[in-house]
Amino acid sequence: MASLRNANPRLKNYFKENYIPQVCEALLCGILVTCPEDPLRFLEGMIMVIIKSGLQNLLWDMCIAPSMKPNIRRLSETYLEQLFELDDQLMTPELMIKACSFYTGHLVKTHFCTWRDITRTNENLVLADKMNRAVTWYSFRLQKSVFHHWHSYMEDQKEKLKNMVLRIQRIICCHKLTVILTKWRNTARYKNKKKEDELISKHELQLKKWRNRLLLRGASAEKSNFPEQSSSEVSLVDETLECDISQLPERAILQIFFYLSLKDVIICGQVNHAWMLMTQLSSLWNAIDFSTVKHMIPDKYIVSTLQRWRLNVLCLNFRGCLLRPKTFRSAGHCRNLQELNVSDCPTFTDESMRHISEGCPGVLYLNLSNTTITNRTMRLLPRHFHNLQNLSLAYCRRFTDKGLQYLNLGNGCHKLIYLDLSGCTQISVQGFRYIANSCTGILHLTINDMPTLTDNCVKALVEKCSHITSMVFTGAPHISDCTFKALSTCKLRKIRFEGNKRITDASFKFIDKNYPNLSHIYMADCKGITDSSLRSLSPLKQLTVLNLANCVRIGDVGLRQFLDGPASIRIRELNLSNCVQLSDVSVMKLSERCPNLNYLSLRNCEHLTAQGIAYIVNIFSLVSIDLSGTDISNEGLSVLSRHKKLKELSVSACYRITDDGIQVR
């Protein structure tokens, strides 16, 4: 049929006008004789055969297979005469046409009705099969639904039964505990009463003895002495029996309970009613540290505690607590909160920060280190915490430079004086520019474990933050002398570098002019520092702490030049660990030039001998000294034993010391 539809339009018109009866006759004869299983495909195939053979060669039995054609001998122009047994004289063309049409129509009607009945019977069978399958499927779904409801019901019943058994077990356990405590209380009362009776009887016996003795001495002595002694004994008994801490002043009680942890305070509140009242003093709940009991106290207790003392809480510490968001949200009820520490809390999110920021606008100290906050939290900080002074974002790696730009929104964080960005390796130079624009009043800056920190980052920061007094850079290997030059615009008092190989003596060349107020210098494990750097540090009059541990290129010459300057007068702490070139000469110079030295570390200074140990005794202000890994012996310990103020001595890995030396010390 598709081939017939796609044929030439002229051929289709010709086919329709001149050969419709012949084609229909041939097709109907083919269907009636052959009775194909698929009539449509049979018609399509026969039409294609007719088209290929040509309409001029069309015969009425063209659509009948050769094996099924009738074997009738041709007697005349048409087979109809033989088929209907007609005489040639009586058969006219009109009668033949009518007879053929009637016979064809009768055959078509008969076979078409038969084919229709068979087709309807097949449809009814298919429909019945579908109905049976639908009934089966519906029954299965109904059974499944009923089983599901039954299963849910049985699970609920099992859960109820389980809870009921647990409640019964708890009731039995409580009953047992009640019985045990009742017996213990009765036994304790009985023993206490027995002890009191024994004590009273003992005192009565003593009083009787004394009375008998006094009677023997005379009536006068009995009248004058017996009442005084009896009253003293009774008062002594009363004093031994009375001891109640709740009678102390509130200030003294607070001083006692301030030394206890939150867990100990809770335990003390369960002693008796008087102790419970002492643990409920409002001043005792100004600072709550949940980090010490993070594995013991459930969330509901934290929520109830914050709800009860919400007006008294000033400081909250949730460090490392694995809490639900609802628990963090309860901290937003503490309207007077000033310090909040949520560091190392994996469940703390931006949504938790939103609730806290809306309820606690007076926060001054905020520690968000190692949390999952994003730029959403950075946007909240300047909007709600207008008085924020201390902020720690250490190891928070999910915010970007865009989040640092938000710090300048609204009133901004212009009151911020302390900022910790340790481990925030995602911050670029542009991020440090945003910090400089929004936090111009920073005094203390800590950037540890920052391998991506460069000199350009520090330059961008100090362009507008000229009030910085303290900077800590540990684990920043790309910082060089250019950073020192950029920091000359700041009023530094404390600086700390550690593990940096790019800092050289050039950084200290003009340190007395650029940083005259430096008091703390930490340059541990900086291999580029030599004696020249110590000579440059000698003019610093305010220097009190100097840490040059692992600076192996420092020797006696550099330390002598440093001690000859005014810096040696006020130095209190000096760490020279692993400075292997130092010898007894340096210790002698220390004893002469450092009258205020309290702490000294000469760990692993291998050239130190017994003579140098003897010079240490002349440092009279020394309180703590570290001589681990040196060549000190029992004789050296004996010399150090003469020091009057020495409180701490470390001599680990000193293999020449024996038990005798320890006994002498």
Side-chain angles (χ1 to χ4, degrees):
M1 295 297 291
S3 302
L4 183 60
R5 285 195 296 268
N6 296 330
N8 193 339
R10 184 179 300 175
L11 181 60
K12 286 196 291 184
N13 294 333
Y14 179 77
F15 180 80
K16 290 180 181 180
E17 292 174 0
N18 300 326
Y19 291 94
I20 289 177
Q22 292 84 345
V23 172
C24 292
E25 180 183 357
L27 293 175
L28 288 173
C29 290
I31 291 175
L32 294 175
V33 175
T34 307
C35 295
E37 294 180 358
D38 192 348
L40 294 179
R41 289 188 177 274
F42 177 78
L43 291 174
E44 183 178 358
M46 292 298 104
I47 290 172
M48 293 299 298
V49 171
I50 293 171
I51 293 174
K52 291 181 180 179
S53 300
L55 297 176
Q56 294 80 5
N57 301 322
L58 180 63
L59 297 175
W60 70 274
D61 59 349
M62 182 179 290
C63 298
I64 301 175
S67 61
M68 301 179 68
K69 290 182 180 180
N71 296 322
I72 301 175
R73 185 171 56 86
R74 184 178 179 87
L75 299 177
S76 61
E77 294 296 329
T78 175
Y79 289 107
L80 294 178
E81 298 172 357
Q82 183 68 26
L83 188 64
F84 293 106
E85 297 180 355
L86 298 176
D87 189 8
D88 293 340
Q89 289 82 13
L90 298 177
M91 187 63 61
T92 62
E94 291 82 3
L95 291 176
M96 291 181 65
I97 292 172
K98 287 182 180 181
C100 182
S101 300
F102 174 78
Y103 182 74
T104 304
H106 178 70
L107 287 177
V108 170
K109 182 178 179 181
T110 303
H111 290 279
F112 180 77
C113 292
T114 305
W115 174 75
R116 183 185 61 187
D117 294 338
I118 294 173
T119 305
R120 286 181 178 177
T121 303
N122 294 334
E123 290 180 354
N124 292 334
L125 293 175
V126 173
L127 182 61
D129 182 59
K130 289 184 178 179
M131 287 297 295
N132 292 331
R133 292 172 60 187
V135 170
T136 304
W137 181 83
Y138 177 75
S139 301
F140 173 75
R141 291 292 297 176
L142 185 61
Q143 292 176 1
K144 186 177 179 180
S145 177
V146 172
F147 178 78
H148 176 72
H149 287 293
W150 174 81
H151 180 72
S152 301
Y153 172 76
M154 293 303 297
E155 289 293 330
D156 293 340
Q157 292 297 321
K158 287 182 181 179
E159 189 68 24
K160 290 181 181 179
L161 182 61
K162 183 179 178 181
N163 294 333
M164 190 180 301
V165 172
L166 290 176
R167 289 181 62 185
I168 293 173
Q169 290 178 353
R170 290 175 184 172
I171 292 172
I172 294 173
C173 183
C174 291
H175 178 69
K176 288 182 179 179
L177 292 176
T178 304
V179 173
I180 293 171
L181 289 174
T182 304
K183 291 183 178 180
W184 173 80
R185 183 183 61 186
N186 295 334
T187 305
R189 286 180 178 177
Y190 173 74
K191 290 184 178 180
N192 289 334
K193 186 177 181 181
K194 187 176 180 180
K195 287 182 180 179
E196 290 178 359
D197 294 340
E198 290 177 355
L199 185 62
I200 292 173
S201 62
K202 184 178 180 180
H203 282 288
E204 288 179 353
L205 182 61
Q206 290 180 355
L207 290 173
K208 288 180 181 179
K209 289 181 180 180
W210 289 342
R211 184 180 297 174
N212 294 332
R213 291 178 183 177
L214 291 173
L215 288 173
L216 294 174
R217 292 180 182 178
S220 59
E222 181 182 0
K223 292 180 182 179
S224 59
N225 295 330
F226 180 74
E228 295 179 1
Q229 293 200 10
S230 62
S231 62
S232 63
E233 289 296 327
V234 173
S235 63
L236 181 61
V237 173
D238 294 339
E239 289 177 1
T240 56
L241 294 177
E242 291 182 2
C243 182
D244 190 0
I245 191 176
S246 62
Q247 301 299 325
L248 295 175
E250 181 178 337
R251 183 177 178 183
I253 295 174
L254 289 176
Q255 289 296 325
I256 294 173
F257 280 94
F258 277 150
Y259 287 100
L260 303 180
S261 64
L262 180 61
K263 177 183 176 182
D264 297 332
V265 171
I266 295 172
I267 295 174
C268 291
Q270 299 173 354
V271 174
N272 53 37
H273 183 69
W275 282 61
M276 183 187 69
L277 294 177
M278 286 188 293
T279 58
Q280 291 180 357
L281 295 174
S282 59
S283 300
L284 195 61
W285 298 93
N286 288 342
I288 306 178
D289 186 3
F290 289 109
S291 63
T292 57
V293 291
K294 56 187 176 183
H295 300 300
M296 294 177 285
I297 295 184
D299 288 21
K300 62 179 182 179
Y301 178 81
I302 296 176
V303 173
S304 61
T305 302
L306 295 178
Q307 184 67 25
R308 181 176 183 180
W309 303 105
R310 60 185 182 277
L311 299 179
N312 302 99
V313 176
L314 300 178
C315 305
L316 275 179
N317 187 359
F318 291 111
R319 177 169 183 162
C321 295
L322 188 63
L323 305 177
R324 294 178 298 177
K326 182 180 179 181
T327 307
F328 286 118
R329 201 178 305 149
S330 62
H333 301 301
C334 304
R335 306 290 298 180
N336 299 319
L337 188 65
Q338 296 181 2
E339 296 184 12
L340 177 62
N341 187 349
V342 292
S343 59
D344 301 322
C345 293
T347 56
F348 188 81
T349 60
D350 296 329
E351 189 65 19
S352 305
M353 190 70 247
R354 184 180 67 82
H355 288 283
I356 294 176
S357 62
E358 292 175 355
C360 309
V363 173
L364 302 177
Y365 171 89
L366 183 60
N367 191 341
L368 301 174
S369 59
N370 200 18
T371 56
T372 58
I373 62 167
T374 63
N375 292 342
R376 291 178 57 192
T377 295
M378 303 299 291
R379 180 178 292 183
L380 294 173
L381 296 180
R383 292 182 176 179
H384 299 280
F385 300 137
H386 305 310
N387 298 318
L388 189 62
Q389 297 180 2
N390 291 265
L391 177 61
S392 177
L393 300 173
Y395 305 101
C396 296
R397 295 189 172 94
R398 294 197 177 186
F399 70 88
T400 61
D401 294 341
K402 188 69 175 179
L404 296 173
Q405 188 179 11
Y406 291 147
L407 295 178
N408 203 23
L409 296 176
N411 294 327
C413 296
H414 301 297
K415 294 185 179 181
L416 200 65
I417 60 176
Y418 175 85
L419 181 61
D420 189 353
L421 298 174
S422 301
C424 298
T425 55
Q426 75 277 14
I427 303 178
S428 63
V429 178
Q430 187 61 37
F432 282 98
R433 288 197 182 96
Y434 291 146
I435 295 174
N437 293 331
S438 56
C439 308
T440 56
I442 293 179
L443 299 179
H444 308 283
L445 182 64
T446 301
I447 308 178
N448 297 327
D449 298 330
M450 194 83 160
T452 58
L453 188 68
T454 61
D455 296 330
N456 293 329
C457 297
V458 180
K459 291 178 181 179
L461 183 64
V462 300
E463 284 180 358
K464 296 184 179 180
C465 298
S466 58
H467 301 287
I468 297 178
T469 60
S470 172
M471 295 198 76
V472 180
F473 299 108
T474 61
H478 298 292
I479 295 296
S480 65
D481 297 331
C482 298
T483 296
F484 258 92
K485 185 176 180 180
L487 291 175
S488 61
T489 59
C490 302
K491 302 176 181 179
L492 285 181
R493 295 183 180 179
K494 178 181 177 181
I495 190 167
R496 180 169 186 168
F497 288 86
E498 187 173 340
N500 193 296
K501 298 180 180 180
R502 300 185 64 186
I503 294 178
T504 63
D505 296 332
S507 300
F508 301 93
K509 190 173 183 179
F510 302 103
I511 194 169
D512 58 327
K513 296 180 181 179
N514 296 332
Y515 315 105
N517 297 320
L518 268 179
S519 60
H520 292 67
I521 298 178
Y522 299 86
M523 291 292 173
D525 200 18
C526 294
K527 309 298 183 183
I529 296 178
T530 64
D531 293 338
S532 178
S533 299
L534 281 177
R535 183 172 62 252
S536 302
L537 294 176
S538 61
L540 297 177
K541 298 180 180 180
Q542 305 297 327
L543 188 62
T544 57
V545 178
L546 179 61
N547 188 340
L548 297 175
N550 298 323
C551 296
V552 294
R553 300 177 65 183
I554 291 176
D556 294 331
V557 177
L559 187 60
R560 186 182 71 251
Q561 293 174 347
F562 168 75
L563 295 176
D564 287 337
S568 62
I569 304 299
R570 302 189 62 177
I571 194 77
R572 289 187 292 104
E573 296 183 15
L574 183 60
N575 191 340
L576 300 172
S577 301
N578 295 313
C579 296
V580 294
Q581 298 185 27
L582 297 179
S583 63
D584 297 338
V585 178
S586 298
V587 181
M588 181 185 66
K589 198 68 175 178
L590 285 171
S591 63
E592 295 175 356
R593 298 289 300 172
C594 300
N596 297 312
L597 187 63
N598 300 135
Y599 173 80
L600 175 63
S601 178
L602 297 173
R603 176 186 288 265
N604 296 327
C605 292
E606 301 173 351
H607 298 291
L608 191 65
T609 64
Q611 184 178 0
I613 301 298
Y615 290 130
I616 294 176
V617 181
N618 297 328
I619 308 177
F620 302 109
S621 60
L622 198 62
V623 177
S624 175
I625 186 170
D626 187 356
L627 297 174
S628 302
T630 60
D631 198 35
I632 186 173
S633 61
N634 293 339
E635 291 76 10
L637 285 180
S638 178
V639 173
L640 287 177
S641 64
R642 299 197 299 266
H643 199 288
K644 302 296 183 181
K645 294 184 179 181
L646 193 62
K647 296 181 180 179
E648 182 178 353
L649 174 63
S650 178
V651 287
S652 61
C654 296
Y655 301 107
R656 297 185 61 188
I657 296 177
T658 64
D659 296 341
D660 297 334
I662 299 297
Q663 291 177 358
V664 172
R665 181 70 183 100

PDB file of all heavy atoms in Angstrom, residues 101-117:
ATOM      1  N   SER A 101     -21.413  -9.641 -11.323  1.00  0.00           N
ATOM      2  CA  SER A 101     -21.504  -8.712 -10.183  1.00  0.00           C
ATOM      3  C   SER A 101     -22.232  -9.359  -9.026  1.00  0.00           C
ATOM      4  O   SER A 101     -21.825  -9.249  -7.851  1.00  0.00           O
ATOM      5  CB  SER A 101     -22.227  -7.435 -10.612  1.00  0.00           C
ATOM      6  OG  SER A 101     -21.536  -6.804 -11.643  1.00  0.00           O
ATOM      7  N   PHE A 102     -23.348 -10.077  -9.350  1.00  0.00           N
ATOM      8  CA  PHE A 102     -24.112 -10.719  -8.284  1.00  0.00           C
ATOM      9  C   PHE A 102     -23.281 -11.792  -7.592  1.00  0.00           C
ATOM     10  O   PHE A 102     -23.229 -11.887  -6.368  1.00  0.00           O
ATOM     11  CB  PHE A 102     -25.403 -11.322  -8.872  1.00  0.00           C
ATOM     12  CG  PHE A 102     -26.175 -12.132  -7.870  1.00  0.00           C
ATOM     13  CD1 PHE A 102     -26.960 -11.504  -6.907  1.00  0.00           C
ATOM     14  CD2 PHE A 102     -26.114 -13.526  -7.875  1.00  0.00           C
ATOM     15  CE1 PHE A 102     -27.655 -12.264  -5.992  1.00  0.00           C
ATOM     16  CE2 PHE A 102     -26.811 -14.263  -6.952  1.00  0.00           C
ATOM     17  CZ  PHE A 102     -27.597 -13.640  -5.996  1.00  0.00           C
ATOM     18  N   TYR A 103     -22.655 -12.626  -8.439  1.00  0.00           N
ATOM     19  CA  TYR A 103     -21.868 -13.712  -7.861  1.00  0.00           C
ATOM     20  C   TYR A 103     -20.689 -13.177  -7.039  1.00  0.00           C
ATOM     21  O   TYR A 103     -20.408 -13.654  -5.939  1.00  0.00           O
ATOM     22  CB  TYR A 103     -21.364 -14.618  -8.990  1.00  0.00           C
ATOM     23  CG  TYR A 103     -20.566 -15.802  -8.496  1.00  0.00           C
ATOM     24  CD1 TYR A 103     -21.227 -16.872  -7.880  1.00  0.00           C
ATOM     25  CD2 TYR A 103     -19.177 -15.855  -8.645  1.00  0.00           C
ATOM     26  CE1 TYR A 103     -20.511 -17.956  -7.435  1.00  0.00           C
ATOM     27  CE2 TYR A 103     -18.469 -16.937  -8.196  1.00  0.00           C
ATOM     28  CZ  TYR A 103     -19.126 -18.004  -7.583  1.00  0.00           C
ATOM     29  OH  TYR A 103     -18.398 -19.072  -7.144  1.00  0.00           O
ATOM     30  N   THR A 104     -20.029 -12.160  -7.571  1.00  0.00           N
ATOM     31  CA  THR A 104     -18.891 -11.553  -6.840  1.00  0.00           C
ATOM     32  C   THR A 104     -19.344 -10.921  -5.540  1.00  0.00           C
ATOM     33  O   THR A 104     -18.736 -11.069  -4.477  1.00  0.00           O
ATOM     34  CB  THR A 104     -18.193 -10.507  -7.715  1.00  0.00           C
ATOM     35  OG1 THR A 104     -17.783 -11.125  -8.932  1.00  0.00           O
ATOM     36  CG2 THR A 104     -16.985  -9.932  -7.007  1.00  0.00           C
ATOM     37  N   GLY A 105     -20.476 -10.191  -5.626  1.00  0.00           N
ATOM     38  CA  GLY A 105     -20.995  -9.558  -4.408  1.00  0.00           C
ATOM     39  C   GLY A 105     -21.396 -10.574  -3.375  1.00  0.00           C
ATOM     40  O   GLY A 105     -21.170 -10.387  -2.174  1.00  0.00           O
ATOM     41  N   HIS A 106     -22.019 -11.690  -3.851  1.00  0.00           N
ATOM     42  CA  HIS A 106     -22.428 -12.721  -2.904  1.00  0.00           C
ATOM     43  C   HIS A 106     -21.204 -13.343  -2.227  1.00  0.00           C
ATOM     44  O   HIS A 106     -21.202 -13.560  -0.994  1.00  0.00           O
ATOM     45  CB  HIS A 106     -23.242 -13.790  -3.646  1.00  0.00           C
ATOM     46  CG  HIS A 106     -23.672 -14.920  -2.744  1.00  0.00           C
ATOM     47  ND1 HIS A 106     -24.637 -14.761  -1.757  1.00  0.00           N
ATOM     48  CD2 HIS A 106     -23.264 -16.230  -2.686  1.00  0.00           C
ATOM     49  CE1 HIS A 106     -24.797 -15.905  -1.129  1.00  0.00           C
ATOM     50  NE2 HIS A 106     -23.977 -16.825  -1.688  1.00  0.00           N
ATOM     51  N   LEU A 107     -20.179 -13.645  -3.013  1.00  0.00           N
ATOM     52  CA  LEU A 107     -18.954 -14.194  -2.425  1.00  0.00           C
ATOM     53  C   LEU A 107     -18.309 -13.223  -1.432  1.00  0.00           C
ATOM     54  O   LEU A 107     -17.869 -13.611  -0.342  1.00  0.00           O
ATOM     55  CB  LEU A 107     -17.961 -14.550  -3.541  1.00  0.00           C
ATOM     56  CG  LEU A 107     -18.276 -15.781  -4.379  1.00  0.00           C
ATOM     57  CD1 LEU A 107     -17.223 -15.941  -5.477  1.00  0.00           C
ATOM     58  CD2 LEU A 107     -18.324 -17.021  -3.523  1.00  0.00           C
ATOM     59  N   VAL A 108     -18.235 -11.943  -1.845  1.00  0.00           N
ATOM     60  CA  VAL A 108     -17.637 -10.932  -0.956  1.00  0.00           C
ATOM     61  C   VAL A 108     -18.408 -10.839   0.340  1.00  0.00           C
ATOM     62  O   VAL A 108     -17.850 -10.807   1.441  1.00  0.00           O
ATOM     63  CB  VAL A 108     -17.583  -9.570  -1.665  1.00  0.00           C
ATOM     64  CG1 VAL A 108     -17.190  -8.484  -0.667  1.00  0.00           C
ATOM     65  CG2 VAL A 108     -16.580  -9.617  -2.794  1.00  0.00           C
ATOM     66  N   LYS A 109     -19.748 -10.814   0.222  1.00  0.00           N
ATOM     67  CA  LYS A 109     -20.572 -10.687   1.425  1.00  0.00           C
ATOM     68  C   LYS A 109     -20.380 -11.886   2.337  1.00  0.00           C
ATOM     69  O   LYS A 109     -20.217 -11.754   3.557  1.00  0.00           O
ATOM     70  CB  LYS A 109     -22.034 -10.538   1.010  1.00  0.00           C
ATOM     71  CG  LYS A 109     -22.973 -10.346   2.196  1.00  0.00           C
ATOM     72  CD  LYS A 109     -24.403 -10.149   1.697  1.00  0.00           C
ATOM     73  CE  LYS A 109     -25.351  -9.970   2.885  1.00  0.00           C
ATOM     74  NZ  LYS A 109     -26.753  -9.790   2.439  1.00  0.00           N
ATOM     75  N   THR A 110     -20.412 -13.082   1.719  1.00  0.00           N
ATOM     76  CA  THR A 110     -20.306 -14.297   2.532  1.00  0.00           C
ATOM     77  C   THR A 110     -18.950 -14.378   3.240  1.00  0.00           C
ATOM     78  O   THR A 110     -18.871 -14.553   4.468  1.00  0.00           O
ATOM     79  CB  THR A 110     -20.518 -15.533   1.652  1.00  0.00           C
ATOM     80  OG1 THR A 110     -21.800 -15.432   1.005  1.00  0.00           O
ATOM     81  CG2 THR A 110     -20.458 -16.805   2.488  1.00  0.00           C
ATOM     82  N   HIS A 111     -17.893 -14.252   2.453  1.00  0.00           N
ATOM     83  CA  HIS A 111     -16.557 -14.397   3.046  1.00  0.00           C
ATOM     84  C   HIS A 111     -16.182 -13.221   3.948  1.00  0.00           C
ATOM     85  O   HIS A 111     -15.477 -13.402   4.945  1.00  0.00           O
ATOM     86  CB  HIS A 111     -15.514 -14.558   1.932  1.00  0.00           C
ATOM     87  CG  HIS A 111     -15.624 -15.879   1.225  1.00  0.00           C
ATOM     88  ND1 HIS A 111     -15.104 -17.055   1.717  1.00  0.00           N
ATOM     89  CD2 HIS A 111     -16.231 -16.210   0.028  1.00  0.00           C
ATOM     90  CE1 HIS A 111     -15.359 -18.050   0.890  1.00  0.00           C
ATOM     91  NE2 HIS A 111     -16.045 -17.565  -0.158  1.00  0.00           N
ATOM     92  N   PHE A 112     -16.635 -12.017   3.591  1.00  0.00           N
ATOM     93  CA  PHE A 112     -16.337 -10.871   4.456  1.00  0.00           C
ATOM     94  C   PHE A 112     -17.023 -11.017   5.808  1.00  0.00           C
ATOM     95  O   PHE A 112     -16.443 -10.710   6.853  1.00  0.00           O
ATOM     96  CB  PHE A 112     -16.768  -9.560   3.781  1.00  0.00           C
ATOM     97  CG  PHE A 112     -16.489  -8.346   4.627  1.00  0.00           C
ATOM     98  CD1 PHE A 112     -15.191  -7.835   4.716  1.00  0.00           C
ATOM     99  CD2 PHE A 112     -17.497  -7.724   5.342  1.00  0.00           C
ATOM    100  CE1 PHE A 112     -14.934  -6.729   5.478  1.00  0.00           C
ATOM    101  CE2 PHE A 112     -17.234  -6.621   6.105  1.00  0.00           C
ATOM    102  CZ  PHE A 112     -15.948  -6.111   6.179  1.00  0.00           C
ATOM    103  N   CYS A 113     -18.262 -11.489   5.824  1.00  0.00           N
ATOM    104  CA  CYS A 113     -18.962 -11.687   7.106  1.00  0.00           C
ATOM    105  C   CYS A 113     -18.259 -12.754   7.923  1.00  0.00           C
ATOM    106  O   CYS A 113     -18.120 -12.624   9.158  1.00  0.00           O
ATOM    107  CB  CYS A 113     -20.415 -12.086   6.836  1.00  0.00           C
ATOM    108  SG  CYS A 113     -21.388 -10.753   6.100  1.00  0.00           S
ATOM    109  N   THR A 114     -17.850 -13.835   7.214  1.00  0.00           N
ATOM    110  CA  THR A 114     -17.123 -14.887   7.941  1.00  0.00           C
ATOM    111  C   THR A 114     -15.819 -14.348   8.534  1.00  0.00           C
ATOM    112  O   THR A 114     -15.474 -14.610   9.697  1.00  0.00           O
ATOM    113  CB  THR A 114     -16.823 -16.053   6.994  1.00  0.00           C
ATOM    114  OG1 THR A 114     -18.055 -16.512   6.401  1.00  0.00           O
ATOM    115  CG2 THR A 114     -16.159 -17.196   7.742  1.00  0.00           C
ATOM    116  N   TRP A 115     -15.090 -13.593   7.701  1.00  0.00           N
ATOM    117  CA  TRP A 115     -13.825 -13.000   8.197  1.00  0.00           C
ATOM    118  C   TRP A 115     -14.050 -12.035   9.352  1.00  0.00           C
ATOM    119  O   TRP A 115     -13.319 -12.000  10.329  1.00  0.00           O
ATOM    120  CB  TRP A 115     -13.149 -12.289   7.019  1.00  0.00           C
ATOM    121  CG  TRP A 115     -11.913 -11.513   7.443  1.00  0.00           C
ATOM    122  CD1 TRP A 115     -10.691 -12.002   7.758  1.00  0.00           C
ATOM    123  CD2 TRP A 115     -11.830 -10.096   7.591  1.00  0.00           C
ATOM    124  NE1 TRP A 115      -9.828 -11.002   8.081  1.00  0.00           N
ATOM    125  CE2 TRP A 115     -10.509  -9.811   7.993  1.00  0.00           C
ATOM    126  CE3 TRP A 115     -12.749  -9.048   7.393  1.00  0.00           C
ATOM    127  CZ2 TRP A 115     -10.094  -8.505   8.216  1.00  0.00           C
ATOM    128  CZ3 TRP A 115     -12.309  -7.754   7.611  1.00  0.00           C
ATOM    129  CH2 TRP A 115     -10.998  -7.493   8.031  1.00  0.00           C
ATOM    130  N   ARG A 116     -15.149 -11.258   9.279  1.00  0.00           N
ATOM    131  CA  ARG A 116     -15.471 -10.308  10.359  1.00  0.00           C
ATOM    132  C   ARG A 116     -15.798 -11.046  11.651  1.00  0.00           C
ATOM    133  O   ARG A 116     -15.364 -10.654  12.747  1.00  0.00           O
ATOM    134  CB  ARG A 116     -16.647  -9.446   9.921  1.00  0.00           C
ATOM    135  CG  ARG A 116     -17.036  -8.366  10.934  1.00  0.00           C
ATOM    136  CD  ARG A 116     -18.277  -7.636  10.477  1.00  0.00           C
ATOM    137  NE  ARG A 116     -19.398  -8.578  10.368  1.00  0.00           N
ATOM    138  CZ  ARG A 116     -20.588  -8.247   9.859  1.00  0.00           C
ATOM    139  NH1 ARG A 116     -20.808  -7.029   9.386  1.00  0.00           N
ATOM    140  NH2 ARG A 116     -21.552  -9.157   9.783  1.00  0.00           N
ATOM    141  N   ASP A 117     -16.567 -12.157  11.533  1.00  0.00           N
ATOM    142  CA  ASP A 117     -16.914 -12.913  12.740  1.00  0.00           C
ATOM    143  C   ASP A 117     -15.668 -13.520  13.381  1.00  0.00           C
ATOM    144  O   ASP A 117     -15.520 -13.512  14.618  1.00  0.00           O
ATOM    145  CB  ASP A 117     -17.902 -14.029  12.372  1.00  0.00           C
ATOM    146  CG  ASP A 117     -19.246 -13.455  11.899  1.00  0.00           C
ATOM    147  OD1 ASP A 117     -19.520 -12.278  12.256  1.00  0.00           O
ATOM    148  OD2 ASP A 117     -19.988 -14.173  11.201  1.00  0.00           O
TER     149      ASP A 117
END
